[in-house]
Amino acid sequence: MAMLRAGAAARQLVDRAVGSRAAHTSAGSKKIVGVFYQAGEYADKNPNFVGCVEGALGIRDWLESKGHNYIVTDDKEGLNSELEKHIEDMHVLITTPFHPAYVTAERIKKAKNLELLLTAGIGSDHIDLPAAAAAGLTVAEVTGSNTVSVAEDELMRILILLRNFLPGYQQVVQGEWNVAGIAHRAYDLEGKTVGTVGAGRIGRLLLQRLKPFNCNLLYHDRLQINPELEKEIGAKFEEDLDAMLPKCDVIVINTPLTEKTRGMFNKEKIAKMKKGVIIVNNARGAIMDTQAVADACSSGHVAGYGGDVWFPQPAPKDHPWRYMPNHAMTPHISGTTIDAQLRYAAGVKDMLDRYFKGEDFPAENYIVKEGELASQYK
């Protein structure tokens, strides 16, 4: 993965900090903290359910057999949280996008022994990456671990919203039967124009899965897809996002959350979309202006909004997306299927093993290394 230079001032800080906090200075027993969602009554229903507090990524016995101290919790918010108790002396923090521990500059400053931040999954925007870089920390994630899971989920939500599935399901549950109440706004996917904002690993997989539906496929990204793959998929590159938006019947968000993309889809950007557009966002909730989305769904300009990402997470009970019309929202679940859990648990274990041995990680896993941020976060 191409890495870009951090600023000169940050680099000077790194040069002073790396000697004591870099991932390679890893001899001896380590204190490792994992923050995951609580499974409760569901913990014992599947032996491969490893992505929860109870499952602990399936690495507890392995870590403890090597003499390391492994603490796992779901309590992550506030000065009195369980996580906060361990910040000062932990060496490694493992967290997950599905129940993110927000690693602020303030927390990084407190974490005097911290060397390594691992994301069990994809997407490390819950970490203040410039602060991590300035402190000489290594940040890594399990690249590719849940790309298939998320792309499949996006396709499902496109179909759910286009076919007006949820009102039909609700009718059945409520003992009703009103075909017209569903059919008046149900559409085929075939022939529709679908655009993805971002065509990285997940975006490309989605485009490939959409090809058999005979859609018109568009994509916007800072980099153009390999011409051979682009031809194979049948997708057209749109350099100008504002020019692409009004062409699309369906828009899917597949871009990382960065300072550039935070709040990107505000009232003005949504107004550029055609009336009746469907939006699916499994990327990050903070890419959207929360109230602008709710207002557009209420007015009918957006015919349906679906996804599994919110800001913050967990979403508060009064979050407006819970109550807006024509939505297909769930908790953050698309990338934490059982199959994905096994992949990202294996990836975390591999990186921890390399960390203990002082070895490099797979290059594509690094988000921050030696003061440099991965290109997608610049």
Side-chain angles (χ1 to χ4, degrees):
M1 181 187 302
M3 310 301 288
L4 299 181
R5 291 281 174 189
R11 190 58 202 241
Q12 289 173 1
L13 285 171
V14 171
D15 290 340
R16 292 195 295 268
V18 162
S20 61
R21 302 186 75 181
H24 291 292
T25 59
S26 54
S29 177
K30 300 295 180 182
K31 182 174 186 177
I32 300 161
V33 177
V35 178
F36 313 113
Y37 52 83
Q38 190 81 238
E41 63 185 292
Y42 304 103
D44 298 327
K45 293 188 179 296
N46 189 327
N48 292 323
F49 190 8
V50 297
C52 54
V53 167
E54 294 85 347
L57 298 184
I59 58 175
R60 180 178 294 283
D61 290 347
W62 173 71
L63 285 172
E64 292 179 351
S65 72
K66 292 180 173 294
H68 303 298
N69 184 15
Y70 187 32
I71 293 140
V72 177
T73 183
D74 70 327
D75 184 17
K76 62 190 180 72
E77 303 294 345
L79 295 176
N80 296 319
S81 66
E82 186 66 21
L83 171 61
E84 198 74 19
K85 296 175 186 176
H86 302 287
I87 282 178
E88 287 193 4
D89 63 346
M90 66 183 179
H91 298 91
V92 180
L93 174 63
I94 308 167
T95 186
T96 168
F98 316 105
H99 188 73
Y102 294 104
V103 184
T104 62
E106 184 179 1
R107 278 181 161 175
I108 288 171
K109 188 176 180 180
K110 290 180 182 177
K112 303 300 183 184
N113 292 339
L114 186 60
E115 298 169 347
L116 177 62
L117 291 160
L118 291 178
T119 298
I122 303 170
S124 298
D125 48 88
H126 53 280
I127 299 166
D128 186 325
L129 297 176
L137 302 179
T138 296
V139 181
E141 58 189 42
V142 191
T143 298
S145 59
N146 53 18
T147 52
V148 169
S149 314
V150 176
E152 287 183 356
D153 187 277
E154 289 175 340
L155 179 56
M156 175 189 73
R157 289 178 204 261
I158 291 170
L159 289 167
I160 282 173
L161 288 166
L162 275 176
R163 299 306 293 263
N164 207 23
F165 172 83
L166 288 173
Y169 169 77
Q170 290 161 0
Q171 279 189 24
V172 171
V173 171
Q174 295 165 7
E176 301 172 357
W177 189 277
N178 182 356
V179 173
I182 307 159
H184 78 285
R185 59 191 310 274
Y187 296 90
D188 296 340
L189 178 53
E190 185 174 42
K192 300 300 183 292
T193 298
V194 182
T196 176
V197 182
R201 290 177 174 85
I202 296 170
R204 290 196 300 270
L205 283 175
L206 175 65
L207 291 170
Q208 289 172 319
R209 281 152 177 73
L210 284 167
K211 183 180 179 181
F213 287 87
N214 298 319
C215 304
N216 303 310
L217 299 176
L218 307 176
Y219 72 96
H220 170 78
D221 199 286
R222 58 192 177 85
L223 300 173
Q224 193 164 352
I225 294 174
N226 177 284
E228 290 185 8
L229 179 59
E230 188 179 78
K231 183 177 180 181
E232 177 189 328
I233 296 171
K236 180 185 175 185
F237 176 61
E238 295 277 344
E239 186 173 2
D240 186 343
L241 176 59
D242 288 347
M244 183 183 85
L245 294 179
K247 300 175 184 178
C248 297
D249 302 294
V250 178
I251 293 170
V252 186
I253 312 301
N254 277 310
T255 189
L257 176 62
T258 66
E259 288 311 305
K260 183 178 178 181
T261 63
R262 187 178 299 274
M264 173 191 286
F265 285 90
N266 53 21
K267 181 179 179 180
E268 291 72 28
K269 193 72 77 177
I270 292 171
K272 296 179 186 294
M273 302 176 189
K274 67 165 61 175
K275 182 176 173 57
V277 69
I278 296 291
I279 303 174
V280 171
N281 177 18
N282 280 4
R284 288 295 182 266
I287 294 171
M288 316 301 291
D289 180 319
T290 298
Q291 194 58 51
V293 170
D295 291 345
C297 285
S298 296
S299 72
H301 185 77
V302 172
Y305 182 90
D308 69 334
V309 287
W310 311 67
F311 184 77
Q313 290 187 180
K317 290 184 178 180
D318 62 351
H319 197 292
W321 290 357
R322 291 181 183 268
Y323 309 105
M324 64 189 182
N326 303 317
H327 78 75
M329 294 298 297
T330 65
H332 195 169
I333 57 167
S334 64
T336 188
T337 62
I338 295 298
D339 305 278
Q341 289 175 46
L342 293 173
R343 289 190 292 265
Y344 63 67
V348 167
K349 183 178 180 181
D350 175 69
M351 286 191 286
L352 285 173
D353 191 44
R354 291 169 184 256
Y355 161 70
F356 298 144
K357 295 175 180 177
E359 299 174 356
D360 280 342
F361 303 156
E364 65 272 16
N365 286 7
Y366 283 109
I367 302 302
V368 175
K369 182 184 181 184
E370 297 175 354
E372 298 178 355
L373 272 66
S375 58
Q376 67 266 36
Y377 285 99
K378 295 293 291 182

